Amino acid sequence: QVQLVESGGGSVQAGGSLRLSCKASGHTNTFAMGWVRQAPGLEREVVADIDSDGTKRYANSVKGRFTISKDNAKNILYLQMNNLKPEDTAMYYCAAAPIRAHLELNLGYRGQGTQVTVSS
């Protein structure tokens, strides 16, 4: 069984930074992992993901501002968010799935989420 626990959310002003962490338990080393955000009234968005081979992908909306990384020894996934904008305000979920495409389809595992609020 895979469990994902996020931390690191909070409230910041535009231009600020936050780092989200996701502690994973279970056999996730061969999984794709990523960060998915959901804002009220908007569609889910996979903002960044990292495949089991280390390939990273970013949504266009966060390219150049967000960086995803993973500490395989500690089984922790990170999302460094810089130059935050009000439109980044959302609940951020850590997600894991055997196949990367499943992250887009909301399949696999997901944590409880951590709120990120960016004020202008």
Side-chain angles (χ1 to χ4, degrees):
Q1 184 72 10
V2 173
Q3 290 188 326
L4 306 170
V5 179
E6 304 96 336
S7 61
S11 297
V12 295
Q13 290 190 327
S17 298
L18 285 172
R19 188 175 81 156
L20 305 183
S21 300
C22 170
K23 173 63 178 172
S25 60
H27 300 288
T28 60
N29 285 339
T30 60
F31 280 27
M33 296 188 71
W35 292 94
V36 181
R37 68 185 179 187
Q38 177 83 65
L42 299 179
E43 292 187 359
R44 293 172 58 257
E45 180 181 31
V46 180
V47 296
D49 65 83
I50 180 167
D51 215 333
S52 57
D53 65 358
T55 302
K56 301 176 183 180
R57 297 175 181 85
Y58 298 93
N60 287 334
S61 57
V62 306
K63 277 182 182 176
R65 300 188 298 120
F66 289 13
T67 302
I68 190 170
S69 61
K70 187 180 179 190
D71 185 329
N72 286 318
K74 296 180 179 179
N75 217 3
I76 299 176
L77 182 73
Y78 299 102
L79 184 69
Q80 178 67 44
M81 306 185 293
N82 297 328
N83 190 21
L84 283 159
K85 303 176 180 181
E87 51 264 43
D88 295 318
T89 296
M91 185 71 80
Y92 284 71
Y93 299 91
C94 177
I99 302 173
R100 179 190 171 272
H102 287 182
L103 297 177
E104 300 276 357
L105 298 173
N106 201 26
L107 299 175
Y109 302 93
R110 197 174 77 168
Q112 292 298 308
T114 185
Q115 178 68 36
V116 171
T117 302
V118 185
S119 58
S120 58

